[in-house]
Amino acid sequence: MARKTFQLQTEPHVAEIGDAELLLRPEVMGDEFLDMLEELQATYRDLGVDLGNLAALNAEQLKPAVAAVRRFLAGFMLPESAELFAGMRLPDRIPVELLEWVIEIYGGGSRPTGSSSGSATPSPPLGSRGSASSRSKASTRARGR
């Protein structure tokens, strides 16, 4: 008989930003995550934001898009951290990196093992591209290959 043990995260995830620690909920139910992600994606569609061409964004699109990302992120934070995050002035790269990490921990990507105090790996700087293929291309192989 096969046996597998599943662990539930009980300690909040910790995002360290400068001297501040933002606490994120230990677990989020899948449908809640998906609903919040769909809302973020709908906002991007309504704004005409093309995630494949962020360089083409104008100020009219960028401001509400950044606000939508911050609302999305705050939705996963414990109340005190969400309040702190709402008032933080941050360079745009921080919410983007935090968004990637939140999607990783709640969206079924590889979850951090051990302590939740580990930090996410930094994203590459905007404008530079790595040589690896994107996840979306890698996950959907073309016919005949």
Side-chain angles (χ1 to χ4, degrees):
M1 170 170 60
R3 174 181 227 136
K4 173 117 176 126
T5 302
F6 296 90
Q7 300 237 269
L8 292 174
Q9 180 78 18
T10 58
E11 295 294 319
H13 301 280
V14 180
E16 294 180 22
I17 301 176
D19 293 336
E21 284 190 343
L22 301 176
L23 303 179
L24 287 81
R25 295 187 285 168
E27 294 283 356
V28 173
M29 299 305 119
D31 58 343
E32 182 180 7
F33 171 78
L34 294 174
D35 289 345
M36 292 172 70
L37 184 59
E38 174 57 33
E39 184 178 323
L40 177 63
Q41 291 171 336
T43 299
Y44 279 7
R45 279 192 303 275
D46 292 347
L47 293 170
V49 172
D50 176 6
L51 294 176
N53 187 14
L54 294 176
L57 287 178
N58 61 44
E60 285 182 30
Q61 293 170 306
L62 188 57
K63 286 180 182 180
V66 169
V69 167
R70 290 180 74 101
R71 278 191 311 275
F72 175 80
L73 293 171
F76 295 102
M77 294 179 189
L78 297 182
E80 309 82 40
S81 293
E83 187 176 322
L84 175 63
F85 181 65
M88 292 177 85
R89 290 182 43 92
L90 298 168
D92 288 341
R93 68 180 174 78
I94 299 296
V96 169
E97 289 179 28
L98 191 54
L99 175 64
E100 291 171 351
W101 186 57
V102 163
I103 290 172
E104 179 182 314
I105 61 177
Y106 297 125
S110 58
R111 291 183 178 261
T113 57
S115 169
S116 64
S117 63
S119 60
T121 56
S123 298
L126 292 176
S128 68
R129 300 193 69 128
S131 59
S133 60
S134 73
R135 281 187 228 175
S136 61
K137 290 179 184 173
S139 64
T140 51
R141 298 181 57 140
R143 291 182 193 248
R145 288 190 184 186

